[in-house]
């Protein structure tokens, strides 16, 4: 081990305020674990538009109190530079992960020491409650301590500004520069008190706002029966309270996953999209025979939905995020969101470039505006006139005036209302999806997602696709290639590629991009075909599934995966 690394590690340990990580680092120094020390001191965590997210542990390349204090100090300096925010309120929320409460307290102390006002939510609560509190309380910024659906050994740090939306460039770069300029931790004022701990009234205010999310107000049916899992996260109490206020039947809980548990003992990854994550929920559905299965991720900003399906293994299947996105859009349109109503022509539906193009067709038919943005609600939330936004990764914003971010609680309410309305007609979600396919064309989507240990694998795949772009994928001609790094379509530059595809009977598109929060390469696939009659829907879906499979195989081959 080189002396500079030893010196750096000892200096970090000397000022680490957490006895646990200080002891952890001291052990690594004493045992001369050069490989692990080199990993932890490979460089500071990069603060970006996703804030911070990494494995817990000692050192600048991990999530720990030292890193959080520096991040909070950089944010405080950024806010203090502007007379409009220098004395403002910063609201801080946290989930139930390891160290989340400690990181929240450290952030409150730093904000107070810097001369800002700080208020901490009254306990581990969903991210949407924090996003709501920022706007409701007139805060100049907000911080949510969460790693969302990452593995249990991770934690993270999301930053919002006073509009209630997460930061975007160049704000992230400005804050990152100020974080890098923070000196010794001893020079960062951290009083033992002086901030406010909010009471339950902020949660009650959020719950009152959820009433506004339902397009039928108090007049729609409230009969849908549900099974619910919080995936060991913080959603249970808030969702149950929201359902009770709206008059829905109390959801049957997946007991093993109902209480917060930072170790997430029943799932490999606490993400409803991951294989096996919904197994317990579907087992509960077979016991209770509900109309819907609903699931939140651990910080309850995402929503997964399962529906009965006799053809599926076990009798239930999980809807794709694009399917839920289309269902909620159709429900809002039928509830009055259209040209000349509920905001009129100024109302806009928005989705990200990796989500289905079906939303554009639904919006056009209703006379509602439509926009595409880069991936992430930090972009969707900034769409002017936004009435509804979603992205395929199970994120839905159904009440942007209340929560300018994805919200798995209000989206669950809307889905339950839709299921109730369909139930009253003797129909289900699958029937409405058939209606949308007949009206707007069958839009079938899928994803090729590759988790890697070495990020060089992703860089190699992107380089290979740029140097030898495919001429056809899945039998469909590539009719257009856009490098998103060039700011394609007037969007801000981002790493990724987009292909337009066309054949004799179908058209499609493919987007390839590295994940912004996980070591994954994600490829988003869509095939669109018109269906002449309802009796041909099953055949069209089967052909689309085959075509999507062919797209996956060809794309993996082209990318060298």
């Amino acid at each position: 081990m080189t002396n500079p690394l030893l010196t750096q590690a000892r200096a970090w340990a000397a000022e680490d305020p957490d006895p646990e990580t200080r002891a952890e680092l001291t052990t690594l120094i004493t045992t001369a674990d050069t490989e692990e020390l080199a990993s932890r001191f490979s460089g500071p965590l990069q603060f970006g538009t996703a804030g911070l997210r990494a494995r817990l542990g000692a050192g600048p390349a991990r999530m720990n109190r030292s890193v959080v204090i520096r991040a909070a100090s950089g944010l405080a300096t950024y806010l203090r530079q502007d007379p409009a925010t220098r004395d403002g309120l910063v609201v801080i929320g946290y989930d139930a992960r390891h160290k989340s409460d400690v990181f929240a307290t450290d952030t409150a102390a730093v904000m107070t020491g810097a001369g800002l006002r700080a208020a901490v939510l009254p306990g581990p609560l969903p991210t949407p409650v924090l996003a709501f509190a920022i706007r409701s309380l007139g805060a100049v910024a907000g911080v949510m301590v969460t790693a969302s659906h990452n593995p249990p050994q991770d934690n993270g740090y999301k930053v919002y500004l006073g509009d209630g939306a997460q930061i975007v460039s160049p704000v992230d770069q400005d804050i990152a520069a100020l974080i890098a300029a923070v000196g010794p931790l001893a020079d960062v004022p951290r009083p033992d008190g002086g901030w406010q701990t909010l009471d339950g009234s902020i949660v009650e205010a959020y719950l009152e706002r959820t009433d506004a999310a339902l397009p039928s107000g108090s007049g729609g049916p409230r009969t849908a029966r549900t099974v619910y899992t919080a995936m060991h996260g913080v959603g249970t109490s808030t969702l149950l309270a929201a359902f009770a206020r709206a008059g829905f039947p109390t959801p049957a809980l997946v007991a093993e996953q109902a209480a917060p548990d930072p170790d997430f003992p029943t799932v490999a990854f606490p993400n409803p999209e991951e294989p096996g994550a919904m197994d317990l929920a579907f087992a509960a559905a077979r016991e209770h025979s509900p109309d819907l299965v609903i699931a939140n991720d651990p910080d309850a900003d995402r929503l997964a939905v399962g529906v009965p399906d006799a053809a599926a293994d076990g009798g239930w299947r999980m809807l794709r995020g694009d399917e839920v996105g289309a269902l909620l859009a159709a429900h809002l349109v039928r509830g009055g969101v259209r040209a000349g109503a509920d905001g009129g022509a100024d109302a806009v539906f928005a989705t990200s470039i990796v989500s289905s193009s079906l939303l554009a067709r639904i919006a056009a038919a209703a006379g509602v505006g439509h926009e595409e943005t880069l991936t992430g609600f930090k972009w969707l939330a900034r769409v002017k006139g936004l009435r509804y936004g979603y992205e395929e990764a199970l994120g839905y914003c159904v009440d942007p005036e209340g929560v300018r971010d994805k919200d798995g609680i209000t989206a669950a309410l809307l889905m339950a209302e839709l299921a109730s309305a369909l139930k009253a007609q003797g129909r289900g979600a699958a029937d409405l999806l058939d209606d949308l396919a007949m009206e707007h064309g069958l839009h079938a989507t899928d994803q090729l997602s590759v988790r890697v240990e070495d990020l060089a694998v992703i860089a190699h795949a992107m380089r290979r696709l740029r140097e030898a772009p495919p001429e056809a994928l899945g039998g469909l001609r590539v009719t257009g290639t856009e490098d998103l790094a060039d700011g394609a379509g007037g969007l801000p530059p981002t790493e990724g590629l987009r292909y337009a595809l066309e054949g004799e009977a179908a058209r499609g598109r493919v987007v390839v991009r590295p994940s912004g929060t996980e070591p994954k390469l994600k490829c988003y696939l869509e095939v669109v075909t018109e269906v002449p009659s309802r009796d041909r829907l099953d055949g069209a879906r089967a052909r689309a599934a085959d075509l999507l499979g062919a797209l996956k195989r060809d794309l993996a081959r082209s990318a060298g995966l």
Side-chain angles (χ1 to χ4, degrees):
M1 181 169 53
T2 62
N3 284 336
L5 182 56
L6 262 178
T7 301
Q8 187 181 11
R10 286 173 177 148
W12 186 277
E15 69 169 9
D16 190 337
D18 188 333
E20 184 178 331
T21 49
R22 187 167 64 246
E24 177 185 311
L25 190 53
T26 300
T27 298
L28 292 174
I29 295 169
T30 303
T31 59
D33 190 337
T34 57
E35 184 177 351
E36 184 64 20
L37 280 172
S39 172
R40 290 167 184 250
F41 286 84
S42 58
L45 284 184
Q46 295 300 306
F47 183 90
T49 56
L52 298 168
R53 196 177 295 188
R55 179 172 295 205
L56 289 160
R62 299 287 188 270
M63 280 294 295
N64 51 65
R65 291 185 65 195
S66 297
V67 166
V68 165
I69 290 167
R70 290 178 180 278
S73 182
L75 173 59
T77 301
Y78 175 83
L79 296 171
R80 291 285 293 170
Q81 289 177 341
D82 187 341
T85 59
R86 62 180 302 119
D87 302 313
L89 173 68
V90 179
V91 186
I92 302 147
Y94 59 98
D95 65 10
R97 285 179 177 265
H98 293 295
K99 301 284 187 179
S100 285
D101 56 343
V102 177
F103 295 164
T105 299
D106 281 333
T107 301
V110 171
M111 295 300 160
T112 302
L116 290 145
R117 293 177 291 121
V120 182
L121 293 186
L125 285 164
T127 293
V129 176
L130 182 277
F132 166 81
I134 295 168
R135 292 172 67 83
S136 177
L137 299 175
V140 297
V143 170
M144 184 68 194
V145 182
T146 180
S148 188
H149 54 277
N150 274 40
Q153 61 267 27
D154 291 2
N155 213 326
Y157 199 82
K158 290 183 181 179
V159 175
Y160 299 74
L161 292 183
D163 59 359
Q166 293 181 55
I167 58 171
V168 295
S169 294
V171 171
D172 62 325
Q173 300 166 31
D174 296 339
I175 296 174
L178 294 170
I179 293 171
V182 175
L185 289 190
D187 294 343
V188 178
R190 287 183 288 130
D192 293 331
W195 58 88
Q196 178 186 10
T197 299
L198 298 170
D199 60 25
S201 62
I202 190 63
V203 181
E204 182 62 24
Y206 167 80
L207 291 169
E208 288 178 5
R209 180 70 205 186
T210 62
D211 297 343
L214 297 173
S216 69
S218 60
R222 300 284 190 271
T223 59
R225 297 172 58 251
T226 56
V227 160
Y228 172 69
T229 176
M231 208 68 67
H232 297 295
V234 297
T236 297
S237 61
T238 306
L239 182 131
L240 290 179
F243 269 57
R245 283 184 64 96
F248 289 106
T250 302
L253 299 180
V254 178
E256 302 94 326
Q257 299 174 334
D261 187 332
D263 294 319
F264 305 104
T266 68
V267 289
F269 290 93
N271 179 355
E273 292 181 292
E274 293 286 346
M278 295 288 286
D279 286 356
L280 286 175
F282 288 149
R286 288 188 287 273
E287 176 185 351
H288 294 283
S289 299
D291 301 299
L292 288 178
V293 170
I294 52 177
N296 289 138
D297 66 339
D299 68 326
D301 62 351
R302 299 174 192 245
L303 172 72
V305 177
V307 297
D309 185 343
D313 185 26
W316 285 82
R317 79 172 180 97
M318 183 171 152
L319 296 178
R320 293 191 171 277
D322 284 318
E323 291 178 307
V324 176
L327 289 170
L328 292 177
H331 185 50
L332 288 168
V333 166
R334 295 178 186 194
V337 180
R338 56 174 56 86
D342 195 28
D346 293 330
V348 174
F349 284 176
T351 192
S352 64
I353 57 173
V354 301
S355 303
S356 174
S357 58
L358 176 56
L359 186 65
R361 288 199 172 189
I362 294 172
V368 173
H370 174 262
E371 283 196 29
E372 271 191 342
T373 74
L374 294 182
T375 305
F377 270 82
K378 56 185 175 284
W379 299 109
L380 285 167
R382 286 177 162 79
V383 169
K384 185 177 180 181
L386 182 67
R387 177 58 185 85
Y388 167 67
Y390 95 91
E391 61 180 0
E392 56 76 43
L394 310 184
Y396 314 95
C397 176
V398 300
D399 177 28
E401 290 306 307
V403 176
R404 216 155 190 77
D405 198 2
K406 54 186 177 292
D407 183 346
I409 304 294
T410 51
L413 284 174
L414 225 70
M415 196 67 206
E417 183 183 64
L418 170 58
S420 298
L422 291 169
K423 184 177 181 179
Q425 303 165 11
R427 308 174 79 227
D431 298 302
L432 181 51
L433 288 172
D434 286 351
D435 293 347
L436 294 173
M438 292 305 303
E439 184 176 358
H440 305 294
L442 175 63
H443 291 61
T445 60
D446 203 350
Q447 186 180 130
L448 171 64
S449 182
V450 181
R451 185 180 292 272
V452 301
E453 294 294 330
D454 182 1
L455 292 178
V457 173
I458 295 177
H460 172 74
M462 296 301 295
R463 183 170 61 253
R464 178 168 170 154
L465 288 170
R466 286 188 169 100
E467 291 174 353
E471 296 181 359
L473 292 168
L476 300 180
R477 290 183 303 109
V478 176
T479 57
T481 302
E482 294 178 293
D483 194 328
L484 301 178
D486 297 331
L491 297 170
T494 189
E495 174 62 347
L497 296 163
R498 178 164 60 179
Y499 304 102
L501 311 174
E502 192 165 358
E504 292 182 4
R507 64 185 187 280
R509 65 177 183 175
V510 171
V511 178
V512 183
R513 61 178 285 273
S515 170
T517 56
E518 299 177 88
K520 284 183 177 181
L521 181 67
K522 291 188 171 183
C523 310
Y524 305 86
L525 321 172
E526 180 176 38
V527 173
V528 183
T529 183
E530 306 304 318
V531 185
S533 60
R534 192 172 289 266
D535 61 350
R536 297 190 183 182
L537 263 173
D538 288 344
R541 286 199 170 99
R543 289 191 298 275
D546 289 343
L547 186 51
L548 288 168
L551 283 175
K552 279 187 182 182
R553 291 190 297 272
D554 286 359
L555 189 60
R557 189 180 305 114
S558 294
L561 298 173

